[in-house]
Amino acid sequence: MEGKAVLFKQFGGVDAVPICLDTQDVDEIVAVVTALAPSFGGINLEDISAPRCFEIERRLDEALPIPIFHDDQHGTAIVVLAALRNAAALLDRKLGDLRVVISGAGAAGVAVAKMLFAGGVSAGDTVVCDSRGIIHRGRPDLGATKAELAELTNSAGRTGGIVEALAGADVLIGVSGGQIAEEAVAAMAPGGIVFALANPTPEVHPDVAARHAAVVATGRSDFPNQINNVLAFPGIFRGALDARATAVTDGMKVAAADAIAGVVAEALSADAIVPSPLDPRVAPAVAAAVAAAARRDGVARA
């Protein structure tokens, strides 16, 4: 948490105070954050697991007139959208034509799915898998969040597990930590895209993924195309604070993704679909885009 506060300051010029709460109770967390909120211009939630993270963020959003942002969800999702935009551009593909598989239906997986839909990926052509297999309308074990995903996604009604999901798919986005066999990746459509983001052990090793995919990204710093949240959160909060935004809207998140993608858009290669996490151009570009989007979306007070 202290390290993240340093990154806020270094890249976004945002003063951040790490506060750790010794509770996992939703009501307690909401009550404490609400009581602390008058001292802060925004709240960055961290390390709260699904499904409680969804309710906590929703309740705080409704209760407080400042930006609430759960980085484990939205930071990852924003950078994934930026990377997928550039990967699709590099391969001369359109986001709406891609068949996407998301492995993982926790906080990051749900947020990635919703972010991709907001950015132009077809929800019907997206399949989300959890530890029990493909999420589909006929599954009896779905909670509220997964039931919502089942209604939005998988219009073909696919069933089974990750192997069945990946057959013929164009994109794999791994945010689960579960291992995926090479044979399943090999069954994807030719010229595919694999983002295996579990860290330190990706769902499929990048060297293995590269045998079958045209573009590969990971969450690790020792391989190309690191999907790192630091590309998003400092600039998002800088822009939201500059606009005195009352919330972080979907439009602001999409604008952040577009800005991240734009930093390297003129020099794309299979090994460079996102900027380096240390690229000093990223946070100012994201901040400007987010502030402008806040004004467009009617949540800015400056």
Side-chain angles (χ1 to χ4, degrees):
M1 298 292 286
E2 288 80 2
K4 197 145 211 175
V6 171
L7 295 173
F8 267 113
K9 185 67 172 179
Q10 177 66 35
F11 291 104
V14 175
D15 293 314
V17 180
I19 298 173
C20 302
L21 305 182
D22 187 16
T23 179
Q24 296 184 1
D25 182 82
V26 170
D27 291 336
E28 285 188 343
I29 293 170
V30 170
V32 171
V33 174
T34 301
L36 289 169
S39 294
F40 295 94
I43 303 291
N44 185 65
L45 302 171
E46 192 77 28
D47 294 337
I48 304 174
S49 62
R52 67 174 65 88
C53 63
F54 306 125
E55 182 181 355
I56 290 169
E57 185 182 37
R58 177 186 59 79
R59 286 173 58 179
L60 290 173
D61 244 341
E62 292 172 355
L64 299 174
I66 57 175
I68 308 296
F69 187 81
H70 184 205
D71 189 50
D72 299 309
Q73 290 186 65
H74 309 301
T76 300
I78 287 164
V79 183
V80 166
L81 176 59
L84 189 59
R85 278 204 189 290
N86 278 346
L90 181 68
L91 300 175
D92 197 23
R93 306 287 298 276
K94 294 181 179 179
L95 289 186
D97 295 336
L98 298 174
R99 186 156 81 77
V100 177
V101 174
I102 299 172
S103 176
V110 172
V112 165
K114 292 183 177 181
M115 188 81 263
L116 294 185
F117 305 157
V121 170
S122 167
D125 286 334
T126 299
V127 171
V128 182
C129 296
D130 63 9
S131 60
R132 298 182 181 181
I134 293 173
I135 292 175
H136 59 87
R137 290 178 181 84
R139 266 183 54 175
D141 60 341
L142 301 177
T145 300
K146 292 181 182 180
E148 180 187 3
L149 277 180
E151 291 298 320
L152 290 171
T153 64
N154 190 16
S155 60
R158 292 179 173 83
T159 60
I162 190 67
V163 173
E164 289 76 16
L166 283 175
D170 300 301
V171 180
L172 164 62
I173 299 172
V175 283
S176 66
Q179 295 299 289
I180 298 174
E182 180 174 0
E183 292 77 11
V185 178
M188 293 174 64
I193 299 166
V194 173
F195 295 174
L197 305 183
N199 194 9
T201 306
E203 290 82 358
V204 54
H205 193 279
D207 292 339
V208 173
R211 297 173 193 158
H212 309 286
V215 178
V216 177
T218 75
R220 288 172 46 162
S221 60
D222 54 341
F223 286 94
N225 297 326
Q226 186 190 17
I227 306 300
N228 192 315
N229 290 7
V230 77
L231 291 169
F233 66 80
I236 287 168
F237 271 88
R238 179 73 274 157
L241 293 170
D242 288 347
R244 295 187 62 221
T246 57
V248 179
T249 64
D250 284 347
M252 292 161 71
K253 296 169 194 172
V254 171
D258 289 346
I260 294 166
V263 169
V264 292
E266 300 303 317
L268 289 179
S269 71
D271 287 343
I273 57 168
V274 286
S276 161
L278 302 180
D279 192 323
R281 299 173 295 171
V282 175
V286 171
V290 166
R295 296 181 182 105
R296 287 196 301 272
D297 289 351
V299 297
R301 293 176 291 188

